[in-house]
Amino acid sequence: MKSWVEVSERRLVGNYGLLRAAAGGEPSAATPPTPTTAVLAVVKANAYGHGAAVCAPVLARAGAEWLGVTDVAEGAAVREALAAAGISRREQPEVLVMSGLLREDTADVIRHGLTPVVWLREQMEWLAEAAGRSGGVVVPVHVEIDTGMARQGVAPGRELEQLLAWVSGQTAVRVDGVMTHFASSEVAGSAQTVEQRKRFEEAMGAVAAAGLRPEWVHAGNSSTVDNQGAEGNLAWLRGLATGVGARSMVRAGIALYGYCLPIEGGGVSEVRQALQPVMTWKTRVIGVREVEAGETVGYNGIFVAERAMRLALLPVGYADGLRRELSASNARPGGWAMVKGQRAAIVGRVSMNLTIVDVSGIAGTALGDEVVVLGDGVTAEDHAWLAGTIAYEIVCGVRPAHRCGIAG
Ligand SMILES: *Cc1c(COP(=O)(O)O)cnc(C)c1O
């Protein structure tokens, strides 16, 4: 096998537990019990490149009440993976479809028992029609409020009031949740978050005035858990949810997998420090060769050996998600892989399916040796730094031949 991803189930469960505790998700022994905040586990984009079929059952067994996906196809795949892992439909978490609902999706929503995020009256009309065709089931939906992202969601004010007035007269569609998304959750003391909170409060006022009683009120992402700071965004969310008799929830993705953006302009981010990366991307050495001083390596000869070197060839490249920005010339060092626990610098251009690393200082490197392309010693943050992007894009872009869970 050219390359594969190992998912540490122990670390995934550990990160989930950490987020739950940090979100205030652990029920306390106090009487009356303090309200808790649930953590929806986001497994969209194939669990950020880790493999939703591997991660979804692990998260379900770790106690996730909700999983989040992007569309109905992902939702159906998650249901299938949970069933294949031996988790009965009754024991499975709810599955939130977060990004878009078209008319053609409604039958699958009902067939797989998914909960779509909606913000248009049409979307709920289609669901009501499909519910009618399915013998009068009631479809739960979560209504998204646009508080400042301007991606999806209904604006507070007249538009929202009209939508709520319409849906409160429906029997086939039930508002199970109301949610919004923060645009700058990793920014300490963000004025944008303050503004979004105000708009969400206004929206919740309209929800209550329309006589709706959602079960869930949710907002934010991993950084919302990490960056609670002086603003107390999760305490605020709990208060808002309790006010309408609902439970609060935060939606975490990247932090489950062990990464999180640093807090901008803030102090130490304790959650971020405690997270452990879950993905290890491995490959094997498919060639070892010696080059003399003066020989060029790879496309365009951007690297010239300055001394005799020993090079190892790896069967991964940018087609597999190893970013071309990790290429190295003599003037500009690039990325590295871990061979026998030591750094082996990339030399020359990363090509489509092949990459060359320097193993001159790593004695005994041989054909077939296991190499860590991304994992302990070379993180997605290292790749992101070199590629001028964020860890999200790196892990989502990893396309190995195979993904598997490992216990450790
Ligand atoms: C992807 C997503 C999240 C998770 O974001 P992270 O930053 O990865 O934690 C939360 N909410 C919505 C609506 C999303 O699309």
Side-chain angles (χ1 to χ4, degrees):
M1 198 182 306
K2 279 181 32 153
S3 84
W4 67 98
V5 156
E6 293 175 357
V7 169
S8 165
E9 296 182 0
R10 182 180 58 79
R11 290 185 179 186
L12 183 58
V13 170
N15 293 338
Y16 180 71
L18 193 87
L19 288 167
R20 208 140 87 145
E26 307 287 5
S28 77
T31 27
T34 51
T36 60
T37 298
V39 177
L40 175 147
V42 181
V43 295
K44 69 187 177 194
N46 204 17
Y48 292 48
H50 293 66
V54 176
C55 297
V58 173
L59 291 161
R61 292 209 167 93
E65 291 174 80
W66 283 87
L67 299 176
V69 297
T70 196
D71 61 17
V72 291
E74 285 188 355
V78 162
R79 284 271 181 246
E80 203 173 298
L82 293 170
I87 304 173
S88 73
R89 181 66 187 81
R90 266 193 49 249
E91 296 164 325
Q92 289 180 16
E94 301 296 337
V95 177
L96 188 71
V97 176
M98 302 191 295
S99 306
L101 180 79
L102 296 174
R103 186 170 218 154
E104 69 217 47
D105 297 328
T106 53
D108 281 337
V109 164
I110 293 168
R111 182 174 311 127
H112 300 292
L114 309 173
T115 305
V117 167
V118 298
W119 62 92
L120 299 169
R121 178 163 153 181
E122 290 98 300
Q123 292 172 320
M124 290 190 269
E125 285 172 347
W126 302 330
L127 287 166
E129 280 166 27
R133 286 195 298 274
S134 297
V137 295
V138 180
V139 185
V141 296
H142 286 201
V143 173
E144 178 155 356
I145 312 297
D146 177 16
T147 56
M149 279 288 271
R151 290 197 305 195
Q152 41 180 57
V154 50
R158 258 184 67 77
E159 206 187 317
L160 174 64
E161 282 155 26
Q162 285 173 352
L163 192 76
L164 295 175
W166 180 83
V167 74
S168 58
Q170 299 296 309
T171 49
V173 175
R174 174 174 60 83
V175 177
D176 180 66
V178 180
M179 49 108 47
T180 194
H181 197 50
F182 292 132
S184 301
S185 59
E186 75 278 18
V187 178
S190 162
Q192 192 177 16
T193 304
V194 170
E195 185 57 34
Q196 289 195 272
R197 277 171 49 158
K198 260 194 264 167
R199 292 192 199 160
F200 199 47
E201 284 167 18
E202 183 191 337
M204 291 312 301
V207 167
L212 294 168
R213 285 290 304 269
E215 304 267 326
W216 295 96
V217 172
H218 51 108
N221 63 345
S222 298
S223 290
T224 308
V225 181
D226 186 36
N227 177 29
Q228 296 186 56
E231 307 93 273
N233 287 330
L234 287 183
W236 161 81
L237 185 65
R238 269 193 292 279
L240 203 56
T242 309
V244 295
R247 286 181 64 196
S248 62
M249 182 157 69
V250 62
R251 307 173 302 265
I254 195 74
L256 294 172
Y257 309 104
Y259 295 98
C260 198
L261 294 173
I263 296 175
E264 255 177 57
V268 195
S269 69
E270 282 169 24
V271 171
R272 181 170 182 266
Q273 276 187 336
L275 296 169
Q276 289 194 297
V278 165
M279 174 188 288
T280 304
W281 181 19
K282 290 182 174 175
T283 188
R284 287 187 195 281
V285 173
I286 57 162
V288 180
R289 73 177 53 217
E290 317 278 339
V291 293
E292 313 257 303
E295 280 192 64
T296 62
V297 181
Y299 279 119
N300 308 119
I302 65 165
F303 185 89
V304 183
E306 284 164 356
R307 51 187 163 76
M309 294 175 84
R310 196 146 186 270
L311 304 178
L313 183 62
L314 309 179
V316 290
Y318 57 78
D320 308 292
L322 182 62
R323 298 291 292 253
R324 193 162 173 276
E325 294 94 330
L326 272 61
S327 299
S329 65
N330 298 77
R332 179 193 177 277
W336 65 93
M338 298 302 290
V339 178
K340 298 183 190 300
Q342 296 178 62
R343 282 187 182 203
I346 291 174
V347 293
R349 286 243 155 89
V350 171
S351 43
M352 189 183 292
N353 300 106
L354 293 168
T355 297
I356 298 162
V357 295
D358 177 10
V359 292
S360 305
I362 307 174
T365 305
L367 275 182
D369 280 357
E370 225 174 73
V371 174
V372 173
V373 181
L374 195 163
D376 289 347
V378 51
T379 67
E381 267 159 16
D382 296 325
H383 283 224
W385 169 255
L386 289 160
T389 185
I390 50 178
Y392 290 73
E393 192 186 359
I394 298 298
V395 288
C396 286
V398 173
R399 292 180 289 277
H402 181 68
R403 296 174 171 90
C404 56
I406 59 162

